[in-house]
Structures are given as structure tokens and as C-alpha cells.
Amino acid sequence: MPASSPEQHWPAPVAAGPVDAVVPLPGSKSMTNRALILAAIADGPGTVERPLRSRDSELMVGALRAMGVLIDEEGDGWRVTPGALSGPAQVDVGLAGTVMRFLPPVAALAGGPVRIDGDPRARERPMGPIITALRALGVEIDDGGRGALPFTVHGAGAVEGGAVTIDASGSSQLVSGLLLAAPRFAKGVEVRHEGPPVPSAPHLEMTVRMLREAGAVVETEPDVWRVAPGPLAGRAWPIEPDLSNAAQFLGAALVTGGRVTVPGWPSDTAQPGDALRGLLTAMGAQVERGADGLTVRGTGSFTGLDADLHEVGELTPVLAALAALADGPSRLTGIAHLRGHETDRLAALVTEINALGGDVRELPDGLEIRPRRLHGGVFHTYDDHRMVMAAAVLGLAVPGVEVENPATVGKTLPDFTELWTGMLRTG
């Protein structure tokens, strides 16, 4: 259990009654960082409109600027002017999976060495498959034999490309990273996955959709993705609200028996967070999407959840918190890959919910949760933004929950605590 001091703690507010709030959310992290990559290697200038401004997206901006891409403020977004990618450059990926997996193929297109490193935990996250894949495509990478960060990509200004086989069961980002840069490879790329199922399939659909919107030719079949070499249009990229970041706000409607609306919920999206509509309905919420956005109403009680979350693993921490407060047991499966996320999320959720009096058991591929009366205490967050959000949900119904290091939400939602307390004030 990590050490912490009281001044790093945030007392999670208890709901005084049913919430009744409209919560506008900033842009999708996943869309923002994909749009930045595609804009950086396009044939002409483009814009990223209403992007998420968070640690993860700022790290992506900083990495691209380090390699010579011009990114300027324009209105409420960024104007991206591609240029010749170059090194030497130093890139900090922090703890951002999208940056650490999307940048190396782009760095291979740079003329010169690009050294890539990140937070200590980032050095433990799965990177071997993309390093091996890039080497198979002719890219020189010096990783000291670790198969992990830090490493240096010795960019030659071009990548031959071709066919490559990887095991992407640790993260769909390993595939997306190769696909996003592939139109600039001389032969494009064919990525074939061999291994246990790739998690977070909606994120791969997002990658394919955005590549096609930029003009790339993409073909897919089960566990195979082909991107042809060719031009990428400089264009405007409007960014949708981050639907995964809606989970805790919509969950508050269940916990308090209230109502929460997230405006701007898209009618057609590849974001995994859209699955919240079905998952919260299964727990007893009333869910309606209309002109005002997505509205979730709670009834004052809600049931447990039996669900395979393989494609939407990032929703697990908040769903586990809801399950700990539900009226019956829950079983969340298909999420063994979460052991390799910002922290081992399965172990962290078991440890922290049980420390508050819960009954959570780790399964080979998930969690089994039996609701019990919970009590206050320090909820450690392991530098994981989703753990802060899970703790806030528990705090709605459990007095005395002290959330360690709430600032870690800066990774994807810097204004989280302000949005959270604002939601409760309007209830």
C-alpha cells in the first residue's frame, strides 16, 4: 500500500439527497490523441476542435512538437501544421498509454534518434510487442533488451512497412499505434494478431474510422488490419465528449436516486463509453438519449451487474464502486488485462474497497463483489485517475472516504473535483 500524507487527501463529498444536474464533459482523450497523430502526419494543416486538455493530451502535443510538428492555439482547439519529422528529440510519455504506443511508429518516420521515456510505472506497461513489430518492419530500436521503456527509436526518415504479426492481448493500443502511422509507410502495413482476444475492440474501431475519415484505405477481417500507403488529408477534427469520463457522473444518479444529464452524447460513436447506456440499464437505471444529451435516472435502489467488460475495461473501477453499493452481488469478467494498466486495477480495487469494509474477491479474469455496509477510510489511488473516480462514487454514500492524491485525475479530467462538487451543489 503506497504511503500518503493527509494534505494529499480529498474528502469525498457525501450526497445530501438526489442529484439533479447537467454535467458538460470535455473532449475524448482517445479521439484527441488519435486526431493529433493523424493531423501531424497529414498532407496539410488541420485543426483539433474542442480537444481534451489534460496531462495525456499535453504530453502528446509536447512529443509531436519535440519532433518538429507545429501545434498552435486556435480558438478552443489546436491548429496542427505538419513538417518534416526530425530528431534528436526527447519524448516524455508520462503514464499515457496512447502516447507510449502511438508515438514510436511516428518516431520511426523522423530523421534522427527519438528517446522515449515516462513515469516509473510506464516502464512496467506492455511495450514489447510494438518494439518487436517495428523491428520486423525495419526500424532500429535500442531498448537495452528490456522490451520496455525507456528506449530510443533511431528514425531513418522513412519506414518500409509490410506485414507483421503481434500479440496485442495486452492492449488494443499496440495495434492502433501501428495503424495510425501506416499510411506513411512505403508499403503500408498488415497487422495480424495472434494470441488471446484483443481487448477494447471499440478503440480499434475508432482508429479505423478516423483513418478512413482522413482518407486512408483500411481493410479489416477478424484479427487482421491492413492500411494502404497513401495521402492523409489535413482536416478539422471535432472531438466528441469523453463518454468514459461520464461513468461516475451518471453512476451518481443511481447511488442517489437522482438524475444526471450529459449533453452532446453522440448518436453514432465508436467510444467504448457508449456501453454505459446498456450497463446502467442492467443495474436498474432509467436511461434516455434525447436532444439534450443522455439522461440517467435512478430509482433509489439498484441491482448488481453480471457483465463481460473485455471491450470496455476502462469502465471497471466505477462499475466496481457501484457494485459495492448495489442491492445484490456482481461479477465483472473479461478484464485480466487491467493488471497492466496505470496500476494493477484488479488488485487495487480489491485492496481499497475491502479496506472500507467491502467484500471483493479477485478472479482469474475479473472481480466478484458482494455488497456490505462500508465505512470511511483512506482510499489509495496508485496514480490512477480511474481509482479517484471510483472513490468519489463510494463517497456519495459512505461518510469519511478520504481520496488520496486527487490530482492524478489530471491525466484525463483535470477539472474532475470541481465538476463533482458542482454536480452535488445543483442536486
Side-chain angles (χ1 to χ4, degrees):
M1 183 178 296
S4 61
S5 58
E7 60 268 21
Q8 296 174 304
H9 296 171
W10 174 55
V14 177
V19 298
D20 187 0
V22 176
V23 183
L25 292 178
S28 160
K29 172 200 72 176
S30 299
M31 291 188 71
T32 296
N33 277 357
R34 283 166 172 79
L36 284 166
I37 290 286
L38 292 171
I41 59 174
D43 289 339
T47 56
V48 183
E49 301 174 351
R50 300 181 303 280
L52 173 68
R53 294 177 182 270
S54 70
R55 188 185 185 214
D56 278 19
S57 58
E58 294 290 353
L59 286 167
M60 181 68 85
V61 168
L64 293 170
R65 283 173 172 162
M67 290 188 289
V69 180
L70 296 178
I71 303 178
D72 300 306
E73 297 288 335
E74 182 171 284
D76 61 355
W78 289 305
R79 181 170 182 80
V80 182
T81 305
L85 299 171
S86 63
Q90 299 275 344
V91 169
D92 176 14
V93 304
L95 197 50
T98 52
V99 187
M100 69 179 71
R101 275 69 174 264
F102 295 178
L103 251 296
V106 176
L109 295 167
V114 179
R115 181 164 176 80
I116 303 175
D117 199 1
D119 295 355
R121 170 63 180 172
R123 298 176 180 182
E124 302 173 23
R125 298 190 71 179
M127 289 295 293
I130 203 162
I131 292 172
T132 301
L134 287 172
R135 283 180 176 146
L137 296 173
V139 180
E140 181 185 351
I141 299 178
D142 178 10
D143 66 341
R146 293 180 303 276
L149 293 167
F151 56 81
T152 298
V153 179
H154 293 277
V159 176
E160 183 70 8
V164 68
T165 299
I166 67 171
D167 178 355
S169 58
S171 173
S172 65
Q173 294 166 352
L174 299 165
V175 176
S176 287
L178 293 167
L179 301 185
L180 287 166
R184 289 301 187 216
F185 295 176
K187 295 181 179 177
V189 78
E190 176 185 283
V191 181
R192 185 176 299 271
H193 163 70
E194 289 186 358
V198 180
S200 302
H203 278 134
L204 281 171
E205 180 187 343
M206 180 187 295
T207 297
V208 169
R209 182 182 295 197
M210 292 180 71
L211 276 163
R212 287 172 173 162
E213 289 173 351
V217 177
V218 187
E219 298 177 353
T220 67
E221 58 186 83
D223 289 333
V224 181
W225 301 265
R226 299 182 186 90
V227 180
L232 288 174
R235 51 159 288 168
W237 290 102
I239 305 300
E240 299 171 358
D242 194 314
L243 306 189
S244 293
N245 274 339
Q248 58 277 3
F249 299 102
L250 299 177
L254 269 74
V255 175
T256 68
R259 176 179 62 181
V260 174
T261 297
V262 173
W265 198 281
S267 58
D268 178 31
T269 181
Q271 288 193 62
D274 193 44
L276 285 165
R277 294 186 296 130
L279 292 165
L280 296 180
T281 298
M283 298 187 81
Q286 299 172 4
V287 180
E288 179 182 2
R289 186 175 60 200
D292 294 335
L294 187 79
T295 298
V296 171
R297 293 177 174 85
T299 62
S301 65
F302 56 99
T303 64
L305 180 67
D306 189 340
D308 183 336
L309 302 180
H310 187 70
E311 295 192 350
V312 291
E314 63 203 59
L315 303 179
T316 299
V318 167
L319 291 173
L322 289 172
L325 301 172
D327 291 338
S330 295
R331 189 178 180 89
L332 310 178
T333 57
I335 45 178
H337 61 284
L338 296 189
R339 295 186 174 100
H341 276 223
E342 283 83 344
T343 188
D344 179 340
R345 283 181 172 164
L346 300 187
L349 288 164
V350 169
T351 299
E352 298 309 318
I353 296 176
N354 287 353
L356 302 183
D359 183 3
V360 186
R361 184 170 69 91
E362 191 168 342
L363 305 172
D365 71 337
L367 299 171
E368 189 173 72
I369 304 169
R370 294 182 177 86
R372 292 176 56 180
R373 185 176 181 85
L374 302 181
H375 55 73
V378 175
F379 193 99
H380 297 92
T381 54
Y382 307 84
D383 294 324
D384 187 337
H385 56 139
R386 303 289 181 201
M387 293 292 287
V388 175
M389 297 166 185
V393 170
L394 292 170
L396 289 171
V398 182
V401 174
E402 297 279 334
V403 186
E404 178 207 33
N405 190 19
T408 194
V409 292
K411 184 177 192 301
T412 57
L413 191 54
D415 297 331
F416 170 68
T417 55
E418 291 82 359
L419 287 168
W420 192 253
T421 53
M423 173 189 71
L424 295 176
R425 280 196 301 270
T426 59

